[in-house]
Amino acid sequence: MRWLSKGIVSTVLSDLGSGRRPLTHKALDELPEGKVVEHIRSVLVATGVLPQRDEQMVRLERHVKDLVSSHATAEGRKILHRYATWHLLRRRSRGKDITHYQLTVARQHLRAAVHLLDWLEEHDLALATCRQADLERWMTSDDARWDTARRLLHDDTLKPKDRLAGLLLLLYARWPAAISRLTIDHIEETDGTVHIRLGAVPVELPASVADLALQQVAALRSHAVLAQTDSPWLFPGGQPGRPISAWAMGERLRELGIRLAEARSTALFQPATELPAAVLARTLGIDITAAVKWQRAAAGDWSAYAAEVSRCHHDV
């Protein structure tokens, strides 16, 4: 009864009941976004008053519209609109409702496109005229990434767990979803050396990052003893026994000033120029198909390298 008597709830229901506001999804979309309106919508859908619809797709379309319309240049708005319409929305509207994860990825891709257009404009370049060398310069222009990494390494005013999570993205290209699923057992200490198991092959952590990892493990074990609970997660969530959600982890990283997609791209580009795809996949725990794509993007043609090594051995 208290909920029904709230100003916006009472007003919306009164308007719908009297016919002042049509009983349609479109009419509800015109109201300010928020949990109240979404709850009213979900009740109306559940009772069959309104038809089912893909709410994640609607959110994505709304996000696309807002981001595209806010871009500074007319040409940029045209490019973003085409990219969003024919690449992001079309790929995700194949008869199935999109998931929250797909919504998040699409938003990240669109923000990355905005950052690229802004970078091109800052360097007096255009998308139609930039070349591979320009794109590689953008992907490896990581001054901001290293500035943020240094801040996370040395700023004691930040929480150690946030510093550790941020460094796992900046240094090891881990998505928030992958970071949130790490457990205490992924951190291994042997003879003073600390490794983290991101893929099949453990990776040795630099001393400063290792200290943060051990701090986090020690804090969790101490909490487990005091609270009589034993959670395996390296980054526990608010609910007992469950990890932090991928969305919440992404929000924490963004609050640190990290641009997720851009930072991950930069973190992957350099090792992709130096390592075969199989090694990249085994050490960083990424899919082999993705590793191959990054290797090609970085022009690290290891198949040609292997062929050359084989030819040299044959000549000998």
Side-chain angles (χ1 to χ4, degrees):
M1 292 300 294
R2 283 197 300 269
W3 183 79
L4 286 171
S5 66
K6 289 181 180 178
I8 185 173
V9 179
S10 176
T11 301
V12 171
L13 293 181
S14 176
D15 287 349
L16 292 174
S18 66
R20 288 191 298 270
R21 182 175 296 276
L23 192 52
T24 63
H25 280 297
K26 182 179 179 182
L28 292 180
D29 290 340
E30 294 170 354
L31 296 169
E33 289 186 61
K35 292 183 179 180
V36 171
V37 173
E38 289 311 308
H39 182 68
I40 293 174
R41 188 197 306 275
S42 67
V43 171
L44 293 173
V45 170
T47 54
V49 178
L50 286 178
Q52 292 273 357
R53 73 172 187 178
D54 186 351
E55 292 299 327
Q56 301 285 23
M57 176 59 79
V58 173
R59 291 190 184 99
L60 178 56
E61 290 172 341
R62 189 181 298 139
H63 180 74
V64 166
K65 181 180 178 181
D66 292 343
L67 196 60
V68 170
S69 62
S70 66
H71 198 263
T73 66
E75 182 61 24
R77 290 193 290 273
K78 290 180 183 178
I79 292 171
L80 290 172
H81 182 266
R82 289 197 295 267
Y83 172 64
T85 301
W86 299 107
H87 185 73
L88 297 180
L89 297 178
R90 187 166 177 265
R91 286 178 59 189
R92 287 167 175 78
S93 59
R94 295 176 177 172
K96 295 182 179 179
D97 288 359
I98 67 171
T99 64
H100 178 74
Y101 174 75
Q102 289 175 316
L103 171 67
T104 302
V105 170
R107 283 176 167 176
Q108 290 171 343
H109 287 179
L110 190 56
R111 283 195 294 265
V114 172
H115 296 325
L116 172 59
L117 292 179
D118 290 343
W119 184 87
L120 290 171
E121 186 176 355
E122 290 171 6
H123 292 78
D124 295 323
L125 296 168
L127 191 61
T129 57
C130 72
R131 296 292 178 261
Q132 181 66 28
D134 299 317
L135 293 176
E136 291 177 1
R137 186 154 56 99
W138 172 65
M139 294 180 74
T140 57
S141 58
D142 58 355
D143 290 344
R145 168 175 164 252
W146 285 117
D147 288 342
T148 304
R150 279 189 287 269
R151 179 165 60 87
L152 296 182
L153 285 170
H154 304 295
D155 190 347
D156 293 334
T157 64
L158 299 173
K159 294 179 180 179
K161 62 181 179 181
D162 290 343
R163 295 164 65 191
L164 175 62
L167 289 166
L168 290 176
L169 171 61
L170 293 169
L171 302 181
Y172 301 104
R174 305 306 291 159
W175 276 122
I179 296 173
S180 68
R181 303 297 298 181
L182 291 172
T183 68
I184 293 176
D185 292 337
H186 283 95
I187 305 295
E188 305 167 354
E189 183 180 17
T190 307
D191 298 329
T193 302
V194 179
H195 290 80
I196 186 168
R197 191 161 37 82
L198 303 173
V201 179
V203 178
E204 182 177 346
L205 293 175
S208 49
V209 183
D211 288 344
L212 289 172
L214 294 179
Q215 278 184 53
Q216 179 66 358
V217 171
L220 293 171
R221 286 177 174 159
S222 174
H223 183 270
V225 171
L226 294 174
Q228 302 298 314
T229 59
D230 187 15
S231 174
W233 304 108
L234 190 60
F235 300 97
Q239 298 180 359
R242 300 192 64 178
I244 187 172
S245 69
W247 179 85
M249 175 60 76
E251 288 300 300
R252 296 184 81 119
L253 296 177
R254 275 187 280 270
E255 288 174 3
L256 295 174
I258 299 174
R259 293 176 174 177
L260 305 185
E262 184 178 330
R264 182 176 184 266
S265 296
T266 308
L268 271 174
F269 193 86
Q270 187 59 40
T273 65
E274 301 171 350
L275 298 174
V279 176
L280 193 67
R282 285 168 58 82
T283 54
L284 296 186
I286 64 175
D287 184 80
I288 183 63
T289 303
V292 169
K293 289 180 179 178
W294 275 102
Q295 178 194 305
R296 288 173 179 167
D301 191 348
W302 283 90
S303 59
Y305 170 78
E308 178 65 16
V309 170
S310 176
R311 185 188 64 77
C312 290
H313 280 294
H314 179 75
D315 291 345
V316 172

